[in-house]
Amino acid sequence: MARHAPSPVRDRADDSLFTLLGDLPELVKNLIRAELGAVKTYVGKLVKHGGWTAIMAVAALFFLFWTIPAFLAFLIILLDLWMPLWASALIVLGIGVVMIVACAAYAYLVHVRAIKRLESPGAAAKADAAIVKEFADEF
């Protein structure tokens, strides 16, 4: 008869108190490693999305304050051939505002929302502590 591989999850109901206490340091060490891994992952994602948000904010500010004056002047002069000067200036201003809104919307909708959806390591640690407390209350 073929023997099956032992399950990675074992029934600890028959273990003695000393066996359980002997396993405690390793279990705590594994928990701390897992929590540190969660913190590293969280910080990595936070830096990634925060960096992209900063880049998009700089791009939005670029278009807000330095909307390539020579190109805009060229567009105003070009549009002035077909319409009054004030109308061509308003159209170029509208293009700049649309670029500002597009960059800011991209930064918010993609990256800021992704940052908000990240589970913080503090919340994960609280959930783990609640599970341990619930388990401890059973005994």
Side-chain angles (χ1 to χ4, degrees):
M1 184 146 83
R3 297 183 76 187
H4 296 287
S7 171
V9 179
R10 62 184 175 126
D11 183 17
R12 304 192 73 141
D14 296 330
D15 288 351
S16 70
L17 177 62
F18 293 118
T19 303
L20 294 173
L21 289 176
D23 290 346
L24 190 60
E26 183 180 347
L27 293 173
V28 170
K29 182 173 67 173
N30 290 341
L31 176 63
I32 290 172
R33 281 186 183 161
E35 293 299 332
L36 288 176
V39 168
K40 287 179 185 177
T41 302
Y42 175 78
V43 169
K45 288 181 180 180
L46 185 66
V47 167
K48 174 188 170 193
H49 291 297
W52 277 108
T53 301
I55 289 169
M56 288 297 117
V58 167
L61 289 174
F62 173 81
F63 280 104
L64 179 62
F65 295 114
W66 304 99
T67 316
I68 312 172
F71 181 69
L72 298 178
F74 167 76
L75 284 179
I76 291 171
I77 294 167
L78 181 67
L79 291 173
D80 186 41
L81 297 174
W82 294 287
M83 60 187 64
L85 182 61
W86 63 269
S88 60
L90 278 178
I91 289 172
V92 171
L93 177 68
I95 291 170
V97 169
V98 166
M99 291 303 297
I100 292 165
V101 169
C103 289
Y106 175 78
Y108 178 76
L109 293 174
V110 175
H111 297 290
V112 172
R113 283 186 172 176
I115 290 171
K116 287 181 179 179
R117 283 192 301 262
L118 289 176
E119 181 185 11
S120 71
K126 284 182 184 178
D128 291 345
I131 292 170
V132 169
K133 184 178 182 332
E134 179 183 325
F135 182 74
D137 289 344
E138 290 180 10
F139 297 101

